[in-house]
Amino acid sequence: MAKFEEISIYDYSLDELKEMLKPSFRAKQVYNWLYKKYANSYDDMKNIPNELKEELKEKYPIDIMQIVKKEQSRDGSIKYLFKLRDGHTVEAVLLLMKKKKKDEDGNIVRSEQYTVCISSQVGCKVGCTFCLTAKGGFVRNLTVGEYIAQIVNIKRDNEIPENKSLNIVYMGMGEPLDNFENFTKAVQIFSDEEGLAINRRRQTVSTSGVASKIKKLGEKDLGMQLAISLHAVDDELRSELIPMNKAYNIASIIEAVKAFPVDTRKKVMFEYLVIKGKNDSIEAARKLITLLNGIQAKVNLIYFNPYPGTTYQRPEEKDMIKFKDYLNDRGLICTIRESKGLDISAACGQLKEKEANGNT
Ligand code: SAH
Ligand code: SF4
C-alpha cells in the first residue's frame, strides 16, 4: 500500500472498502458515487451520513489530480495534462475511434469507440533512445489511485455515460511492468462490475519487454491483452534502441510471450516502431516472420514521431506499405497505426512531463 500521504479513496478495491467502512453497505454506496456518478467530493454523496463524510474526507482524499491542460486534436483526440499532489505531471489521452459495425439488418452503422491511453510512471527507467518520456529520467511510480483517477477524470470531464464501454491502453508515460503491484491492482479495480466495469479483455498493457514480469503477469492470468514493443529483430539494434534489451534479450521475451495465456479469439500485439534506414528493410520483415512463428501474433507498425534533437527519422510511407504487405502476404496480420493526435503531440512516444504551467 502507498504511503499515507499518497493514499486516496481510489486505492481500494470494493472488498477492502467493505472491511474499512461499517456497516459494509456504505462501501457499495461510496463506490457507486465514485465510479457511476464520478463524484469529485464527499459533499456530493447525498446518502452518506455527515459524520462518515467528514471521516472519509480526512483519511481518503478524492480530488488527487487536477487537469492543468487540455488539448484537442483535429481528429477529436484529447490530451490531458494532470498535476499530481506532489506537483509532478503526467499525461493521458482520450482517443476517439470511429468503428463501422453492421446492425441487425446488415446496414453499416458508425459508432464511436473510446480508448483511453494512461500513464504508469512519472518518467521512465528504461531509457529508450527514441522516446521523449525517457529524456527526463525516472521520477516515481504512479499509485493505484493515480491510475484509477486518470480514467475517472476523463470520464467525468467528457460526461461519458457510466455504461458506455471503454478500452484502456497502458501506453502513456512509463513502463507499467516496472510498477507491477500498482498496475495489476489497478487492472483489477478497473474491471470490477460494481465500479468502472472495464472488462480485462478491453485492457492492453504495452511493455518494452521486461521478460520476468511478462512471465509473472501471465501467471496471474488476469485475462488482459498483451502488447510487446519489439521494434527490432536482432539484439544489437534492439539494445541500441532499448538499453534494457541487454538484460532481457529478444529470445527471453519471445519465451515469456509463448508462456502467456492468450484468449483464443485474441492475439499478442507486437509493436514495431519503424525508423528510417534502421529497421525498415524487407530483410527485417523476413526475420520478423521467423521470430514470431508459432505465436498468435499481429504486428502494428508505428511511424517514428520525430522531435527536436533526435537523429532518428520518420520512415517513408512507401517503405511502411512494402513492409506491411510483405507480412500480410505471408499470413502475418499487420496494420499501420494511424498516428492519432499527432498535431497535439499526443501520439505515442510524444508524452513527456511538461512544466505544470502547461507550456509545450
Ligand atoms: N513503456 C511501454 C509503454 C509506453 S510507450 C512501452 O514502451 O511499451 C508506448 C509506445 O510508444 C511504445 O510502443 C513505444 O515504443 C512507442 N514510442 C515511444 N517513442 C516513440 C516515438 N518517438 N514515436 C513513435 N512511437 C514511440
Ligand atoms: Fe519507457 Fe516505453 Fe519510453 Fe521506453 S518507450 S522509455 S519503456 S515509456
Side-chain angles (χ1 to χ4, degrees), residues 124 126-128 130-131 133-134 172 174-175 208:
C124 186
V126 180
C128 301
F130 51 80
C131 174
T133 300
E175 170 52 56
S208 53

Side-chain angles (χ1 to χ4, degrees), residues 96-103 107-113 164:
L96 295 178
M97 319 269 185
K98 297 257 187 277
K99 282 240 159 149
K100 281 186 202 160
K101 267 195 191 158
K102 282 195 178 153
D103 67 9
N107 301 318
I108 301 232
V109 283
R110 285 180 165 272
S111 72
E112 264 185 355
Q113 172 80 59
K164 169 88 186 160

Side-chain angles (χ1 to χ4, degrees), residues 37-298:
K37 302 197 178 92
Y38 320 134
N40 202 22
S41 154
Y42 288 107
D43 294 331
D44 297 340
M45 301 186 180
K46 304 274 184 283
N47 53 359
I48 305 293
N50 285 340
E51 205 179 313
L52 180 57
K53 279 187 201 166
E54 292 309 315
E55 187 191 330
L56 291 171
K57 266 186 214 170
E58 188 106 325
K59 290 190 179 158
Y60 311 112
I62 294 187
D63 193 9
I64 60 166
M65 52 174 67
Q66 258 71 53
I67 300 172
V68 286
K69 197 170 177 195
K70 198 169 134 181
E71 283 174 278
Q72 181 140 21
S73 161
R74 279 191 292 277
D75 64 27
S77 310
I78 306 175
K79 181 174 72 167
Y80 286 87
L81 182 71
F82 291 114
K83 187 171 176 181
L84 309 173
R85 283 170 290 175
D86 60 2
H88 286 295
T89 53
V90 287
E91 293 182 336
V93 186
L94 173 68
L95 302 152
L96 295 178
M97 319 269 185
K98 297 257 187 277
K99 282 240 159 149
K100 281 186 202 160
K101 267 195 191 158
K102 282 195 178 153
D103 67 9
E104 286 157 10
D105 305 324
N107 301 318
I108 301 232
V109 283
R110 285 180 165 272
S111 72
E112 264 185 355
Q113 172 80 59
Y114 292 106
T115 296
V116 187
C117 172
I118 58 175
S119 290
S120 289
Q121 298 176 317
V122 179
C124 186
K125 277 181 203 158
V126 180
C128 301
T129 51
F130 51 80
C131 174
L132 260 186
T133 300
K135 302 288 175 231
F138 173 71
V139 181
R140 70 169 175 88
N141 284 327
L142 295 194
T143 63
V144 175
E146 287 166 341
Y147 269 109
I148 307 296
Q150 292 177 72
I151 298 283
V152 174
N153 270 282
I154 288 181
K155 287 194 87 171
R156 182 192 301 122
D157 193 53
N158 292 279
E159 296 175 9
I160 298 177
E162 56 109 350
N163 57 357
K164 169 88 186 160
S165 65
L166 197 99
N167 300 314
I168 299 179
V169 292
Y170 298 82
M171 293 187 185
M173 295 164 64
E175 170 52 56
L177 298 191
D178 275 348
N179 188 9
F180 194 83
E181 298 304 324
N182 293 350
F183 154 70
T184 49
K185 185 169 179 191
V187 171
Q188 295 174 65
I189 294 180
F190 280 135
S191 66
D192 187 344
E193 286 296 328
E194 305 278 354
L196 290 164
I198 303 169
N199 196 298
R200 295 177 194 176
R201 280 196 312 275
R202 292 179 168 274
Q203 299 189 46
T204 303
V205 60
S206 172
T207 175
S208 53
V210 194
S212 60
K213 299 287 170 55
I214 297 171
K215 276 218 173 105
K216 206 169 152 191
L217 186 65
E219 283 158 14
K220 277 181 109 61
D221 203 5
L222 294 178
M224 68 182 312
Q225 308 302 315
L226 179 65
I228 303 288
S229 290
L230 190 65
H231 309 334
V233 288
D234 61 78
D235 281 314
E236 196 184 338
L237 176 61
R238 196 165 191 277
S239 298
E240 177 197 318
L241 301 175
I242 309 174
M244 193 185 56
N245 191 69
K246 294 186 194 98
Y248 297 111
N249 66 12
I250 296 177
S252 72
I253 296 169
I254 296 292
E255 193 195 316
V257 170
K258 283 186 173 163
F260 193 87
V262 187
D263 188 324
T264 44
R265 291 161 299 176
K266 299 279 184 177
K267 297 190 181 316
V268 175
M269 193 209 286
F270 285 85
E271 295 163 281
Y272 192 89
L273 176 78
V274 187
I275 304 174
K276 187 177 175 180
K278 283 270 182 197
N279 58 0
D280 56 355
S281 67
I282 288 300
E283 177 60 14
R286 195 184 57 73
K287 281 193 186 163
L288 189 55
I289 291 176
T290 312
L291 197 63
L292 302 185
N293 190 18
I295 299 177
Q296 290 182 55
K298 66 178 173 197

